Structures are given as structure tokens and as C-alpha cells.
Amino acid sequence: MKVLKFGGTSVGSSESILKVKNIVESQQEQIIVVVSAVGGITDQLIKAANLAEKGEQECFDISSEVKEKHYKIISELFPLDQAQTIKYKVDQLFEEVSTIIKGVFLLKEVSTKSKAIIASFGERISSFIVSELIQGATLFESQHYIVTDNVFGKDSVDFETTETRLKNIQEELGNVAVFSGFIASNKNQEVTTLGRGGSDYTAAIIAATYDASILEIWTDVNGFMTADPRIISRAYCIDRLSYSEAMELSHFGAR
């Protein structure tokens, strides 16, 4: 078994998602795919929540923009009939998140719990789209299997419960299973998150639980680089890097 994790830039457009499809369908063994939200979507959803708390009408404009971006991707990926069916499901998800944003707007208050729910929709939608595109794939929503403690905003994984839930579905995974990254739930079945960048963590938890042969993190660069290539054009990949060196980079804010 291999676990392949694809970040926001890897599912940021229809062209990128087609590359994900080709990578996954070229594999010769059982695959688990973990996907992030479409690039920039989580930031937009959080911005919408923050604006709603301030009573700013712009929050609804952002929500509409997020919806249209996903509609565009769906239209480019699927034939018309299938696209309509997928959009119907996406509509249901957006109706849910729009209702929550409207509630925040009316109350002028956003709790950590509400923000976690709003932020989770990016992964829920992207994983659904990817699972519909990849032949023979089955979708598993991570909030039903990754369990955290009850402290919102400072959630830590309950590994014992998480392992039990993941093991219980091992026989159902099939050749290709798609999991949403970043999302979890607590023991009260309330949505939580693993924090920004948490999709990598989701993939690692799943890989460890199922004793996968390898966990691959796919992104738009070939590895750790000497600098951000979007800022420094001469940045290049580092051939070798120890875990302690990588950890030092993370302490200084390297992505």
C-alpha cells in the first residue's frame, strides 16, 4: 500500500487535478489518496468567516467566488451530465457552509468551533471532486475516522481511537481510497481540524496506521529548496536534508 498526499497547488486547477488522476491511476498497488483544499480556498473561507463576524457583506461575495471556482473546475473536468450531478452535491455542501456564514454574520460572533467547520469545507469539496474523477475510487471523509481531544483550536490526535476507526474500514478501502486532509472530529462528533498544513499530518497518520510501504507528499516543487522559488528565481533543490535540519527550517517559518 502507498499513501499519496496532494497539496493545494496540486489540486488548484482542472489541469493539476488531471495530473493527480494520471499519477494515481498509473500506480500498480493499493493506493490511499489524501487531498488538501483547492489552493487558496481555506484562506478565503476563513476570511469570509472573519468578515461575517464584523458584519461585512463581502463575506457573501467571497462565498460565491469560492463556489464559482469549484464550478469552473467541475465543468472543465467532467462531461455535462456528470458535471450537473456533481454540482448538485457541491451545492448541498455550499448551502451548509453558507448557512453557517450567515449565522456568524447575524450574530456578529464566530467561535473556534464554527471557524473549524467553515474551514473544513475546502477539503470536503476537493476530496469529493477527486474521488469522482479517479476511476474506481471510494471517498472516506476523514472527520469520521481521525479523532481529536475536546480542546478546540489546540486539538491533538487520539491515536488509539483513530487507529481503531481506521482499522475498522481497512477491508472497505478498495484499490483507491480518497481521504480529505486536515479535518477531524472530537469524541462529541464535532468537526475539528489538525491545524494549517494538517493534510500532511492526516496522510502520515493513515500511512502509519496501515503500515504503508511509503508516504509520498506531492507538491509543485521537487523537494526542499534553498529559498521560496516564487521569490528567489535562483532557488534550487537541496540534495540531502536531515530531519533535524528540516525541523530547524520549520522553526523559522519555512513552508
Side-chain angles (χ1 to χ4, degrees):
M1 176 192 288
K2 294 174 70 173
V3 178
L4 309 183
K5 182 266 175 177
F6 296 92
T9 52
S10 298
V11 292
S13 66
S14 56
E15 293 85 358
S16 298
I17 296 174
L18 282 173
K19 290 179 183 178
V20 170
K21 170 184 165 69
N22 293 334
I23 290 167
V24 173
E25 293 182 354
S26 69
Q27 304 297 316
Q28 302 299 315
E29 58 187 293
Q30 186 180 26
I31 299 297
I32 292 178
V33 179
V34 178
V35 294
S36 298
V38 169
I41 291 299
T42 302
D43 286 336
Q44 285 183 281
L45 289 170
I46 292 173
K47 182 179 180 181
N50 291 335
L51 288 169
E53 184 183 23
K54 298 174 183 176
E56 300 281 350
Q57 289 282 345
E58 188 186 348
C59 66
F60 302 115
D61 296 333
I62 292 173
S63 179
S64 296
E65 289 169 10
V66 169
K67 183 176 181 178
E68 288 305 314
K69 183 170 185 176
H70 286 91
Y71 269 14
K72 181 175 184 293
I73 289 172
I74 293 166
S75 295
E76 292 171 348
L77 286 176
F78 299 96
L80 182 60
D81 289 349
Q82 190 179 2
Q84 291 301 326
T85 302
I86 292 169
K87 284 179 182 178
Y88 175 74
K89 170 65 175 178
V90 170
D91 267 342
Q92 293 177 310
L93 292 170
F94 270 109
E95 185 175 345
E96 189 177 341
V97 72
S98 296
T99 300
I100 297 169
I101 290 172
K102 185 176 181 180
V104 172
F105 177 82
L106 292 172
L107 291 172
K108 305 291 190 297
E109 180 181 350
V110 61
S111 64
T112 307
K113 176 180 174 181
S114 297
K115 191 174 286 188
I117 296 172
I118 293 168
S120 74
F121 277 89
E123 270 77 6
R124 290 181 65 185
I125 296 168
S126 65
S127 59
F128 172 66
I129 292 171
V130 169
S131 69
E132 289 292 311
L133 185 67
I134 296 174
Q135 186 174 0
T138 304
L139 175 63
F140 295 86
E141 293 191 303
S142 294
Q143 68 267 30
H144 301 307
Y145 311 105
I146 310 295
V147 182
T148 64
D149 61 21
N150 284 307
V151 185
F152 289 105
K154 296 181 180 178
D155 305 288
S156 48
V157 176
D158 178 342
F159 287 102
E160 184 177 351
T161 305
T162 295
E163 182 174 346
T164 298
R165 292 192 182 185
L166 287 172
K167 291 284 190 182
N168 285 342
I169 60 166
Q170 189 163 4
E171 298 300 319
E172 304 170 25
L173 295 177
N175 291 329
V176 180
V178 179
F179 283 79
S180 45
F182 175 65
I183 316 171
S185 63
N186 61 30
K187 292 174 183 177
N188 295 327
Q189 299 183 355
E190 298 166 321
V191 172
T192 60
T193 72
L194 301 180
R196 300 309 303 271
S199 293
D200 286 358
Y201 194 17
T202 301
I205 292 165
I206 292 170
T209 299
Y210 293 135
D211 195 23
S213 60
I214 191 168
L215 162 60
E216 295 178 351
I217 307 292
W218 289 77
T219 184
D220 55 342
V221 293
N222 291 325
F224 281 93
M225 302 190 76
T226 55
D228 188 335
R230 294 169 299 183
I231 300 172
I232 307 298
S233 61
R234 292 178 296 170
Y236 58 89
C237 283
I238 301 169
D239 290 335
R240 289 181 176 273
L241 196 68
S242 69
Y243 283 106
S244 59
E245 288 169 331
M247 192 159 56
E248 282 297 313
L249 285 174
S250 74
H251 290 325
F252 288 101
R255 297 184 62 180

